[in-house]
Structures are given as C-alpha cells and as structure tokens.
Amino acid sequence: MQVVLQNVNKRFQRDGSQPLTVLQDINLNIERGEFISLLGPSGCGKSTILNIVAGLETASDGIVTVNGQPIKGPGTDRIVVFQESGLFPWMNVLDNVTYGLLLKGMSKKEAHEKAMEGLRMVHLTRFAKSFPHELSGGMKQRVAIARAFVMDPEILLMDEPFAALDEQTRMVLHEELQTIWQKTGKTIIFITHNIREAVMLSTRIILMGTRPGIIKKEFTVEAARPRDLSDSVLRHLEARLLQGLEQEMEKVLKEEMGDDYSYKKGAVLSDPMHNLGSDI
Amino acid sequence: MINGLISGQILEATYLSLRRLAFGFVISITLGLLMGYLIARYKWVDDTLGFLVTALQSIPSIVWLPLAILWFKLGEAPILFIVTIGATWTMTVTSSTGFKNINPLFLRVARTMGSSGFHLMRTVILPASVPHLISGLRVAWAFAWRALMAGELVGGTGGLGHLLEMGRSLQSMDLVLAIMIIIGVVGTIIDNQVFNRMEKSVQKKWGVSARI
C-alpha cells in the first residue's frame, strides 16, 4: 500500500456553533500505479482528502501515511495539479516548469532540458518563452500538468484539473493524461465530479457521499484501454454511478428545500391541482 | 535659473537632496517591507503594530523634526530620519495589503514544489505582490520627496530646501522660483521614468492593463 488513510476525520471549527464535520471515517488504501478517482457532489470533502494527502491540510484525527511514513507537510513526492493552473504570471512558461526542478537542486541546464521534455509531452514547446496570460485556459492547464510531471513525483494529485475547460480540450487532455500515465506508471489520485471522466480514466472509482463526507461505494473499472464509452461495461458502470450520485444530490437538495422535494420530477405526481392529500 | 545652473550651486544642491532621498528611501523600503511582511504573517503583529502604523501614518513626518533634532543634533541625520519616517508607514501599509492579497493558490503551488522560508519570499511572495508594491513605492516616493523638502527647509544644511530658504532670506525670488521648478521637474522625471516604466513592464508581463 502506498497511500493509506485510516479512520480519517476532518472537522472545521466554526465560530459560535458546533464544528462542521467534513470527513467522517475515511478508510482508503491506494496501491502503487493506481489511477484512482474520487467522485462525488460538490461539498463532499473530496478536495479535502486530496489536500490532506498533499500535506496542505491536516486531518483532525486518524492516520495518513505515504509509503509507511506519516505525512508531515507538503513534499516533492506528492505534486498537485489544481483546478486552476496556478502558473506564476511573473515567469514565462519555461521558468514556471523549471521552478520546482531548480528547487530540487538540479543544475540550470539539466532543469531546462527536463522542462522542455515535459513541454514536449503536452505539445507546448513553441510557447516556452510565452507568459501565462498569452496562453488559453487549456494550454495553461497543460503547462501545469507538465510542471507537475517533470517533478517526477511518486504520486500525482489532481484536483478537478479539467473542470474549467471546454469539452474538446478536455477530451484531448484525457487522451494525453492516459498515455502519460501508461508510460510512466505513476500513482494518480484524481478528483472529479464528472462521471464520464472518472469512468474513462480510472482503474478504481470511489463514490463519495455528502454531509458528512463518507466513502459510499467503491467500483473497480475492468475495461480494456483505450476505453470507449459505448463499451457495455462502462455504460453499466456509468448508470450505477449516476444513480449513486443522484441519491446524494437528492439528500443535499432535500436539506435545502424541505422533505417534499423530489429530485426526479415526475417520480411522484406533483401537480398541485391533483395533490395526493398532503393538505389534509 | 540658468546662472544658477551654470554656477553649479543648484546642481550641487539637487545632487545633495537626491542623495539624501535615495538613502532615506532605501531604508524606508526595507523597513516597510519587513514590517509589512510581519503584519501579513502574524495576526498578533497585525493587531498591535498594524494599528500603530495606521495611527503613525496620520502624523505628518515634518512634525518629527523637533524630536529628530533633539535626538540626532542638527545635520544630516534628522533629515534622513524625516525622509525615512515619511515613507516607511505608507510602504508598510501597502506592502502588508500586497502580501495579504497574494493568490493563495500560488503559495500552495510553491509549497508543494518544496519552497519555503526565504526562498518562498524571494520567488513567490515578493513577485506576486509587485503590482501592489509598485503603487506603494510611488506613494512612498512622493511622501519622501515632500518630507525631504520640508526637512531641508526647516532644519537643513545644504540641499534644495535649504537653498530655497536662502532665496527667501535674500529676497531673490528668481532663485525661489527656479528651485520650485526644479522640485517639480525632478518629481515628474522620477515618477515618469522610474515608476511608470516599472508599472508598464509589470502590466505587460502579467497581461493586466484594464482600461475603464
């Protein structure tokens, strides 16, 4: 086991009211080389899990280990790709990619070569001297991915990396990520709220429930690569995931709108002219 | 004015003033950045020093002159003190706002890449707050320039302000006007050549030039 989360809880202290539980009893084992997706509605704490593994946040209780060592803080063995690219606007693309490499103590020349290699991987060598604001959203995200990959981390943490992109760019990046993952064999923890994305990419999908964040179900994706969404196995899985997510969504919405609320319109006859006697 | 320029009197005075300004300015930037960092970093410093700075900021720096003369005796030191005090507070306030407004994402990225401490300061915190810092520098520079003139006028030995005072006592209005013009010109040149350029280059690099 490379990453182990054992009975992890996370609570946020709020002023004047009882603490908000974000994660409850999370148990998760991640093997080396796995592509694992955390799937869940917004607010289910999936990003919190990722931040805990990255060392940017600490768990309220429970044990989190990477390679058997408890996590003490951020480290270069775990690199994060965030939802926004987070490229430094004061550096050009190349400097952005070499930033972490130079920090690791690599010589300038070596870092430069490695960075170009990374940029080649995402097809952006032509833009090495450009500044981030000159790139499109998708290109920025690709640079961010290159920046993470050149660091050669054991574990790559991706926090909804493609959420802000358009459909076409996302499809291209899916392909690229898959190829890169197959080539390098890294462990990837991938966070998404997009079912299709999870199904297409991962070896294992963790469906999370919300309020408080729990692990609801685990699915292993047993389909050949390259994957095709019309594959019946994936179709079936997608439907089951959707069902699970809908239940969660309904829970959230009921909390907001009251118990009368039904996520599926038409599941219950809700024509106000033909009420079922709820006003007796 | 031309006579003055040729005889070198005015040039010498300008040089003297600018040197004082540069000195004081550098000190106040260093102090301002340091205090700004502490204020942005620690909550308790913000609650104590932060409040004090806002209070001190509202005291015109020339008011410090009597005390400064008492402490440092007449000469260079009190004027330098006035200039420093004039620019330090604004620099502190703007740099602390600049630091507080850094996109937390940049810090997270840098931390996961293994940056911390001084390296983080040099490569992320300072450059990320540069747009704020430049406007801070600009204001601080204007404050320092004014403080310098006031200081030299009242307690000066040499410098433009002192020359102005001399012009007044000699009733030579041509000298007074010439110096006023020079003060204005120097101020404009520095603002245009130094700060405007900095701002432009940053805007170009970051790709942020909003026109309202």
Side-chain angles (χ1 to χ4, degrees):
Chain A
M1 296 295 152
Q2 194 172 23
V3 183
V4 179
L5 286 93
Q6 230 172 66
N7 304 322
V8 170
N9 287 309
K10 176 76 182 172
R11 285 178 297 272
F12 283 116
Q13 213 64 43
R14 287 184 300 185
D15 304 330
S17 58
Q18 62 189 34
L20 179 74
T21 308
V22 183
L23 294 175
Q24 197 171 50
D25 271 330
I26 302 292
N27 287 298
L28 193 58
N29 295 320
I30 300 168
E31 303 268 10
R32 196 176 290 272
E34 243 186 316
F35 194 130
I36 190 166
S37 288
L38 299 178
L39 182 71
S42 57
C44 72
K46 44 193 197 300
S47 292
T48 311
I49 293 188
L50 188 109
N51 283 336
I52 289 173
V53 175
L56 294 167
E57 282 179 43
T58 51
S60 302
D61 33 44
I63 303 166
V64 188
T65 57
V66 171
N67 293 326
Q69 301 289 322
I71 292 172
K72 291 211 181 66
T76 47
D77 54 336
R78 289 156 280 133
I79 298 290
V80 191
V81 179
F82 295 94
Q83 187 173 349
E84 287 163 73
S85 63
L87 297 180
F88 301 142
W90 56 91
M91 293 179 182
N92 66 26
V93 166
L94 189 63
D95 289 340
N96 263 295
V97 181
T98 49
Y99 181 81
L101 295 173
L102 294 175
L103 253 171
K104 266 172 120 182
M106 211 176 259
S107 76
K108 241 196 175 128
K109 198 163 158 271
E110 219 178 324
H112 188 272
E113 272 165 22
K114 189 116 196 244
M116 285 312 271
E117 200 180 294
L119 286 176
R120 207 166 298 137
M121 200 166 63
V122 293
H123 319 307
L124 281 174
T125 40
R126 276 194 308 135
F127 295 92
K129 294 276 178 244
S130 309
F131 279 92
H133 74 91
E134 296 163 323
L135 306 181
S136 73
M139 285 152 97
K140 277 189 219 170
Q141 202 61 28
R142 267 145 68 192
V143 176
I145 292 171
R147 175 173 68 176
F149 262 99
V150 293
M151 288 297 285
D152 207 17
E154 284 182 40
I155 303 162
L156 193 65
L157 305 162
M158 307 186 91
D159 189 357
E160 300 193 21
F162 308 137
L165 303 179
D166 60 287
E167 191 64 33
Q168 288 84 8
T169 317
R170 195 182 308 157
M171 259 153 40
V172 174
L173 287 181
H174 281 169
E175 291 294 326
E176 284 178 17
L177 182 62
Q178 229 179 126
T179 327
I180 293 169
W181 172 71
Q182 281 173 328
K183 253 193 238 162
T184 56
K186 300 208 176 306
T187 313
I188 297 183
I189 304 178
F190 192 91
I191 287 191
T192 180
H193 52 236
N194 186 331
I195 300 176
R196 200 159 285 182
E197 194 168 78
V199 170
M200 278 298 274
L201 293 171
S202 29
T203 53
R204 192 149 62 108
I205 299 172
I206 310 286
L207 181 63
M208 293 190 58
T210 179
R211 314 204 177 193
I214 46 163
I215 290 182
K216 211 175 154 192
K217 228 172 189 174
E218 242 186 79
F219 300 89
T220 313
V221 189
E222 282 156 344
R225 284 171 201 270
R227 282 180 180 161
D228 182 0
L229 260 186
S230 54
D231 187 336
S232 63
V233 178
L234 297 184
R235 273 282 161 97
H236 180 62
L237 185 64
E238 200 182 332
R240 272 163 70 202
L241 284 166
L242 185 63
Q243 201 184 8
L245 264 184
E246 269 173 358
Q247 282 169 10
E248 286 309 313
M249 280 318 291
E250 190 163 356
K251 201 160 90 189
V252 174
L253 289 168
K254 267 190 172 147
E255 228 170 80
E256 293 293 332
M257 318 250 199
D259 277 339
D260 282 354
Y261 187 83
S262 167
Y263 176 73
K264 273 213 166 61
K265 305 285 181 214
V268 177
L269 186 59
S270 60
D271 185 350
M273 302 301 283
H274 298 92
N275 67 66
L276 291 175
S278 63
D279 57 345
I280 294 171
Chain B
M1 182 173 172
I2 292 168
N3 278 341
L5 280 175
I6 292 168
S7 74
Q9 194 188 17
I10 292 182
L11 276 181
E12 201 179 313
T14 314
Y15 168 73
L16 196 65
S17 290
L18 281 179
R19 204 186 54 190
R20 281 174 184 160
L21 182 77
F23 246 163
F25 199 46
V26 167
I27 298 173
S28 60
I29 288 171
T30 321
L31 278 177
L33 283 177
L34 198 71
M35 287 199 280
Y37 176 74
L38 290 176
I39 287 175
R41 179 84 176 70
Y42 302 105
K43 181 83 172 63
W44 63 271
V45 180
D46 193 4
D47 291 342
T48 51
L49 186 68
F51 180 73
L52 193 67
V53 166
T54 333
L56 287 172
Q57 198 189 9
S58 58
I59 301 176
S61 58
I62 190 66
V63 169
W64 288 91
L65 191 67
L67 270 182
I69 292 176
L70 214 67
W71 287 337
F72 305 112
K73 307 216 170 57
L74 269 177
E76 286 286 307
I79 294 177
L80 211 59
F81 180 77
I82 298 295
V83 173
T84 311
I85 278 249
T88 303
W89 307 132
T90 28
M91 201 58 217
T92 308
V93 172
T94 44
S95 62
S96 72
T97 357
F99 294 151
K100 279 179 193 167
N101 281 318
I102 295 174
N103 185 349
L105 185 60
F106 295 153
L107 297 176
R108 296 185 137 204
V109 168
R111 288 218 175 94
T112 51
M113 294 280 177
S115 176
S116 63
F118 186 69
H119 185 270
L120 185 70
M121 179 83 190
R122 187 172 57 85
T123 58
V124 177
I125 295 178
L126 278 179
S129 47
V130 152
H132 268 273
L133 293 184
I134 287 182
S135 57
L137 284 176
R138 218 171 179 168
V139 179
W141 140 258
F143 270 101
W145 188 229
R146 280 165 206 208
L148 177 72
M149 285 308 128
E152 283 180 347
L153 199 64
V154 181
T157 44
L160 282 173
H162 185 65
L163 208 58
L164 192 73
E165 170 65 13
M166 207 161 80
R168 186 196 64 81
S169 47
L170 294 176
Q171 298 266 321
S172 77
M173 283 306 125
D174 49 347
L175 184 61
V176 171
L177 283 174
I179 288 170
M180 282 173 66
I181 290 169
I182 286 179
I183 292 174
V185 168
V186 169
T188 319
I189 287 177
I190 293 194
D191 196 70
N192 259 314
Q193 291 304 307
V194 182
F195 297 115
N196 233 348
R197 277 195 183 180
M198 269 206 244
E199 207 163 79
K200 287 257 169 63
S201 82
V202 167
Q203 276 177 352
K204 200 171 153 232
K205 221 169 165 183
W206 288 52
V208 282
S209 54
R211 286 248 172 266
I212 303 170

